Amino acid sequence: MKQEEILQKLSQIALFDELKEREADLKRLLDIIKIKSYPKGAVIIREGDIGSEMYIVYRGSVEIQKQTRAGDTYTVVKLKAENNVFFGEIALVDDDKRSATVIALEDSEFLVLNKEDFLKLGKTNPEIALPITQAIARILASRLRKTTMDMLTIFDALVNEIQS
Amino acid sequence: MEYKKLKNHLIICGWKEDMEDILLDILRVAPDTDAENIVIVSNVEPERVEALKDRPQLKGLKFVRGDYFAETSLLRANAKTAKKVLILADTLESNAPSEVDSKTVMTVLTVKALCKDVYVCAEILDKKYESYLRHAQCDEIIFSREFSRRVLANTSATNGMSHIIYELLSQEKSRSRIVTHPIPSEYVGKTYGEFKRAFQGEPQRILLGILENTGSPNRIKMESLREAQKTSDVSQLIINLQKVKELEVNRPYLLPDDTYTIQKYSLAILLERVGA
């Protein structure tokens, strides 16, 4: 796997948008990235587990699965490496209780960023960690807005139900 | 009498003056049923039930004397393990529609309290009781007076309509009947158009439509509820849950569009030549 290829991949990931023109910083980030391979069918992360790693799909594809309150499993989405997708990013700033299970749909490779390494990098190179942390904060803010909207939707449905 | 060992039987609650014809029609349209598997629950005099048994086909008929809406009577008929309970609009003790229909609603409530999976089919006289029956989880409702009125109305507009409907149900002259058939599992999720093509080489059978949500209503509702939760989109979840709430058991859908998607628990409605 050539370093240039991985750098190219990192520059395409939305989380690293502010670093894409800063090759030296991307290279510094690359130093703490590990490459992990999973065979087809392997569980990469499991819903409910506590995790400390973020994954970028480098090659292959994954399926995101969730469980209903009744305990049934359903597929949320299937993602391919070409779509420049990542998951588990909250683990970089906090112990992340995984909200979904991710399964490799084929033999796949991932660029893996560990929380401990990321926090160390942040201490020595805040100019790299800050934009990434800000991007994670934006993701969290967006999810919070969605949760608020969801609550209002549930509230409206409840009121409609009582009125009917 | 008490029939604690009976299983998968038919319980008929109530009595009608033309009970003999009703029973013979049931045996004719359901050849796999025999009188041994039919229990009548009614306050009618036992002699009248005995008189029915003079007919060889009705010899094994079973009878529980008592109020058909009472739990004790239904337990004696072993309603918990019955295949179906048919509740007649019984005018034996009262001709007042409100009283007759109230007893019917009470009977549905009692049967469903004993076993919610037993299929209950009830005849009512006044359509205003429909909502009570639906709340009581009645699986099928027969509006006999409404049905007659609609046939009369149709006959005024189209000549021969009453004969057509009568013939479809009685099979007296023609050798055809309306039936429902299971849909092969490979067609679930496919379109009606694709399923329709499977009947092109079958002149003995004409596909009329789809009967949706058949089988045990409780099981369908529970499974639909589980399916409805399979989304991470809350708006979609609410839409799904509303659909489950409005789910109507045994809903016929005649001649749907070719793009209509065939759902799980559907049956095909066919007009078929008898013996086909």
Side-chain angles (χ1 to χ4, degrees):
Chain A
M1 215 179 288
K2 289 179 184 173
Q3 183 175 311
E4 289 74 27
E5 270 182 34
I6 301 175
L7 283 173
Q8 173 71 16
K9 184 72 182 175
L10 292 178
S11 68
Q12 289 166 344
I13 302 297
L15 205 59
F16 310 134
D17 256 0
E18 287 196 37
L19 304 177
K20 65 182 174 188
E21 307 297 335
R22 293 151 52 181
E23 197 180 331
D25 288 344
L26 276 182
K27 279 183 179 168
R28 187 70 196 90
L29 187 64
L30 186 58
D31 290 341
I32 61 165
I33 279 177
K34 293 181 181 73
I35 294 161
K36 283 190 181 177
S37 300
Y38 288 86
K40 181 182 175 181
V43 175
I44 301 141
I45 61 174
R46 195 180 294 279
E47 186 174 355
D49 286 355
I50 302 294
S52 60
E53 288 172 323
M54 171 195 154
Y55 295 77
I56 297 163
V57 187
Y58 184 62
R59 287 190 210 283
S61 56
V62 294
E63 180 173 291
I64 313 286
Q65 294 181 344
K66 276 181 82 74
Q67 281 208 321
T68 66
R69 301 279 292 169
D72 295 317
T73 301
Y74 67 97
T75 301
V76 178
V77 68
K78 290 178 182 176
L79 302 168
K80 289 181 177 175
E82 302 90 276
N83 305 126
N84 300 318
V85 285
F86 56 92
F87 54 88
E89 65 281 2
I90 307 303
L92 294 186
V93 291
D94 194 13
D95 286 337
D96 182 30
K97 190 174 182 186
R98 305 300 195 185
S99 59
T101 297
V102 182
I103 294 171
L105 283 176
E106 57 191 297
D107 293 349
S108 302
E109 284 178 329
F110 301 86
L111 306 178
V112 183
L113 198 50
N114 178 282
K115 177 186 164 191
E116 199 181 328
D117 296 336
F118 179 71
L119 292 179
K120 275 184 199 165
L121 178 75
K123 279 180 185 163
T124 55
N125 300 77
E127 73 284 2
I128 299 174
L130 182 64
I132 298 172
T133 310
Q134 283 174 328
I136 293 171
R138 279 194 294 275
I139 291 171
L140 285 172
S142 161
R143 283 186 197 163
L144 186 60
R145 278 194 294 275
K146 187 180 177 301
T147 304
T148 308
M149 288 304 296
D150 286 349
M151 277 181 64
L152 290 173
T153 308
I154 291 170
F155 178 80
D156 288 345
L158 201 58
V159 169
N160 287 340
E161 187 62 31
I162 291 165
Q163 281 174 341
S164 67
Chain B
M1 286 291 286
E2 214 163 318
Y3 302 103
K4 291 204 163 172
K5 286 184 181 168
L6 267 186
K7 276 183 185 166
N8 289 321
H9 52 298
L10 170 67
I11 297 176
I12 301 176
C13 294
W15 184 264
K16 291 220 174 221
E17 289 309 317
D18 54 351
M19 201 65 182
E20 183 176 321
D21 292 335
I22 291 173
L23 290 166
L24 292 174
D25 275 348
I26 289 171
L27 296 176
R28 185 172 54 81
V29 297
D32 54 333
T33 304
D34 58 48
E36 295 268 343
N37 284 318
I38 300 177
V39 185
I40 294 174
V41 183
S42 169
N43 268 325
V44 71
E45 298 82 15
E47 298 76 38
R48 294 181 75 178
V49 179
E50 286 305 312
L52 290 177
K53 293 184 187 175
D54 290 344
R55 281 269 196 176
Q57 303 99 301
L58 302 178
K59 206 166 185 233
L61 193 65
K62 294 179 169 59
F63 177 55
V64 169
R65 191 168 192 204
D67 291 327
Y68 54 83
F69 51 84
E71 188 178 305
T72 46
S73 308
L74 290 163
L75 282 172
R76 282 163 62 206
N78 214 10
K80 283 182 181 177
T81 57
K83 185 180 181 187
K84 191 178 274 192
V85 176
L86 175 62
I87 306 165
L88 303 175
D90 182 348
T91 52
L92 186 73
E93 290 166 330
S94 168
N95 277 315
S98 59
E99 198 174 324
V100 173
D101 288 345
S102 297
K103 282 184 189 172
T104 301
V105 174
M106 282 165 64
T107 313
V108 176
L109 285 167
T110 311
V111 173
K112 287 293 180 182
L114 288 173
C115 180
K116 57 186 173 186
D117 281 335
V118 173
Y119 193 92
V120 179
C121 177
E123 180 194 15
I124 52 169
L125 301 175
D126 192 337
K127 205 169 188 295
K128 76 178 179 194
Y129 283 84
E130 180 188 0
S131 61
Y132 299 109
L133 284 179
R134 296 218 183 273
H135 285 140
Q137 309 284 310
C138 186
D139 304 304
E140 196 167 334
I141 304 170
I142 304 166
F143 309 103
S144 45
R145 285 187 179 175
E146 170 104 355
F147 183 76
S148 305
R149 192 165 64 239
R150 290 195 183 226
V151 171
L152 281 171
N154 266 289
T155 305
S156 69
T158 318
N159 293 345
M161 185 54 76
S162 65
H163 291 179
I164 296 168
I165 295 168
Y166 182 78
E167 189 54 38
L168 279 173
L169 297 174
S170 71
Q171 306 159 30
E172 276 182 2
K173 290 175 187 144
S174 62
R175 286 173 43 77
S176 58
R177 62 182 174 186
I178 291 184
V179 291
T180 56
H181 266 289
I183 296 173
S185 56
E186 63 261 32
Y187 286 105
V188 174
K190 299 269 175 67
T191 65
Y192 182 73
E194 286 171 275
F195 183 51
K196 202 167 65 177
R197 279 195 283 281
F199 287 86
Q200 276 172 354
E202 291 196 53
Q204 310 280 322
R205 299 200 295 173
I206 298 169
L207 181 63
L208 298 178
I210 299 292
L211 187 66
E212 295 177 331
N213 305 324
T214 65
S216 160
N218 190 47
R219 190 197 64 203
I220 293 172
K221 207 148 205 170
M222 292 314 290
E223 285 197 22
S224 302
L225 201 53
R226 289 176 73 158
E227 282 300 311
Q229 296 174 50
K230 292 182 178 177
T231 176
S232 50
D233 180 341
V234 169
S235 298
Q236 187 59 50
L237 174 70
I238 288 167
I239 292 168
N240 292 350
L241 292 176
Q242 278 165 344
K243 278 185 186 167
V244 175
K245 192 190 162 202
E246 287 155 12
L247 195 138
E248 197 183 318
V249 177
N250 291 318
R251 187 173 64 175
Y253 200 167
L254 297 175
L255 302 178
D257 289 340
D258 279 0
T259 53
Y260 164 91
T261 304
I262 295 172
Q263 306 293 325
K264 212 173 166 187
Y265 305 123
S266 294
L267 293 174
I269 306 169
L270 301 172
L271 178 63
E272 74 170 20
R273 189 79 55 84
V274 175

